[in-house]
Amino acid sequence: MGKDTERISIRLVVGLTAVFLLCLWAFVAYWSLRSRDLEIDSTRVTLVRLSTAAEEQVRRMFKLVEVFLDTSDLWLANHPQADPLTDPQFSALVQGFYRASGNAIQLRLVKRDGALYRIPAEGPKPNARVGDRDYFLAQGDAGRRGFYIGTPVQSRENGHWLIPISVPLQRSSHDVTVLLASIRVDYFAGVFEQERIRPNGAITLLRRDGTLLARAPHLPQLLGKSAAQTDVFADFLPRAPRGVEFSSSSATDGVSKLTSYAAMDDFPLVVVVAAATDDILARWELDATVITLVGLILTVFALAASGRLIWLLRDQERARSELFRMASTDDLTGCLNRRHFMASLTREFSRSQRHGDDLSLMVLDLDFFKRINDGYGHAVGDKALGAFVAAAQSCLRQSDQFARLGGEEFGILLPVTTVEQAQPVAERLRQKVAEIRIPTPQGVVQFTVSIGIAAYSSDLASAEELLLQADRALYAAKGAGRNRVVAAPPAGLPADTVVTPG
């Protein structure tokens, strides 16, 4: 019963600990995944906001360019006699544009042969030759003619990177055929730099065909490069003109990013705002690390507490078992004591009464044991008892119960055993005892045992009657000369003695 209770208690502790740890780590996993999603969702909102702001800044600047170019074209159309390279009124108009744009937009004139001039011209010699530039060539191509955003160029005048925008004049004026507005790349780079998510985020302005126009962080070597094969142009834009998606790796820096992109409706431009995945999740990773450490600490604590509790349960069971052993066993021989044996006898007798099970009882007495104690001393007597117990236990089953009833008298309870089955066991035991030899200074000690056997029958009223029958069989064995086995007859019949020669 105690062992079963211990197992149930240990299983309960283990089960509760397992449930606690399962709930703990389920919470850690849920919190980690949920907080990660919230962090990404929050960044999505931020990226859309930044993308909208960047788109409006780009639109405002290009609208301004469009107004400047249209106004200049209209002025030249209304003043056909004025030389745009030298006319002071036109020069004042252009300078006003320059100041209104915060010095970010410059206007230039390009003649039919590709000669580029500042306004006002500094002389007959052009400031640069741009006949090979795409923004000039586009105005001679019917398919591209009109408001054309060119590939970023490094100015041949001052080395600045510029985004060129060209339009054809409605009417050629003094061989000038193209109006050119240039936006300094560092204007967009500066504006974007203030807004981008650090440290690895980026804001990029691209042409609709994927040509990179401006970027923060500013990397001049990337200007004019094509991003047509990136996720934004190859995958995202064909599905939707704007959105927020994860890109596996950036073509510019190889970093995985969450990207907000928007294709503008009124200009052939795309604004891309990206935040590095590592930057987005940096705070989440720190929080997840902390909560994981807390989870590990709680796990260690729970396992330690569970282990301690199991140890206490086992220690308690060991103490209980030891108390039970002390209360139920004989100190000298280690056999069951009389009180426990009688309780077992009563319990087995009741079971036989209920279910009709067979039950046999042996009562044993060491022959002339007092002579051993008196002639060789109690120490030798104790050795004789120990040797007898070992011999008896070697003949018994695990289900049999062996007890010292007092002095040199012992009892053996054999559940589910008939008297016919018990007799061979008793005989083997008698023979083993007869073979015991205990060497002493006074000589070798030998002794024998007398055994009485009784079996349960429905005529018996109590366990005490069964014991009385076994006692009578023992007395018969001793009366017949000792060193023999005697089986008691069934209740109500004359004594039937089975004698085995000694």
Side-chain angles (χ1 to χ4, degrees), residues 341-377:
F341 184 79
M342 291 306 297
S344 297
L345 175 59
T346 301
R347 185 170 57 252
E348 292 297 333
F349 187 88
S350 298
R351 182 179 290 117
S352 295
Q353 282 184 316
R354 290 194 305 273
H355 305 294
D357 293 340
D358 293 316
L359 176 66
S360 292
L361 172 65
M362 295 184 193
V363 178
L364 310 88
D365 188 82
L366 302 186
D367 298 328
F368 305 112
F369 185 72
K370 188 174 185 303
R371 295 179 185 178
I372 298 175
N373 277 337
D374 294 343
Y376 296 91

Side-chain angles (χ1 to χ4, degrees), residues 31 199 206 231 294 393 402 415 474:
W31 179 90
L206 305 104
D231 291 341
V294 171
Q393 288 176 335
F402 181 38
L474 173 62

Side-chain angles (χ1 to χ4, degrees), residues 39-112:
E39 198 70 39
I40 291 173
D41 290 343
S42 175
T43 305
R44 285 179 185 271
V45 173
T46 301
L47 290 177
V48 170
R49 179 180 59 79
L50 290 177
S51 177
T52 301
E55 184 181 353
E56 287 306 313
Q57 290 169 335
V58 169
R59 177 176 288 108
R60 184 183 66 82
M61 184 58 67
F62 276 84
K63 282 287 186 183
L64 200 58
V65 167
E66 192 175 48
V67 169
F68 289 176
L69 291 174
D70 288 346
T71 302
S72 298
D73 186 25
L74 181 61
W75 192 94
L76 291 174
N78 292 334
H79 300 80
Q81 302 303 320
D83 184 353
L85 298 178
T86 59
D87 188 272
Q89 290 185 7
F90 184 68
S91 296
L93 177 67
V94 170
Q95 290 303 315
F97 291 160
Y98 181 66
R99 288 190 297 271
S101 69
N103 303 335
I105 302 174
Q106 300 174 344
L107 290 184
R108 298 288 187 265
L109 300 173
V110 184
K111 288 191 174 183
R112 198 182 307 276

Side-chain angles (χ1 to χ4, degrees), residues 113-148:
D113 60 358
L116 181 143
Y117 292 90
R118 292 179 181 173
I119 304 172
E122 298 170 348
K125 184 178 180 180
N127 296 102
R129 294 282 179 178
V130 295
D132 57 339
R133 302 291 198 185
D134 63 339
Y135 57 81
F136 177 75
L137 296 174
Q139 303 310 327
D141 183 349
R144 295 185 293 168
R145 185 178 176 83
F147 188 91
Y148 183 83

Side-chain angles (χ1 to χ4, degrees), residues 345 358-363 412-414 417-420 422-423 451-457 460 463 465-474 485-490:
L345 175 59
D358 293 316
L359 176 66
S360 292
L361 172 65
M362 295 184 193
V363 178
I412 298 176
L413 189 60
L414 298 94
T417 304
T418 64
V419 69
E420 291 80 10
Q423 280 182 288
I451 305 173
I453 307 175
Y456 167 80
S457 74
L460 297 174
E465 288 188 17
L466 177 61
L467 180 60
L468 181 58
Q469 276 203 345
D471 277 336
R472 287 173 179 167
L474 173 62
V485 176
V486 172

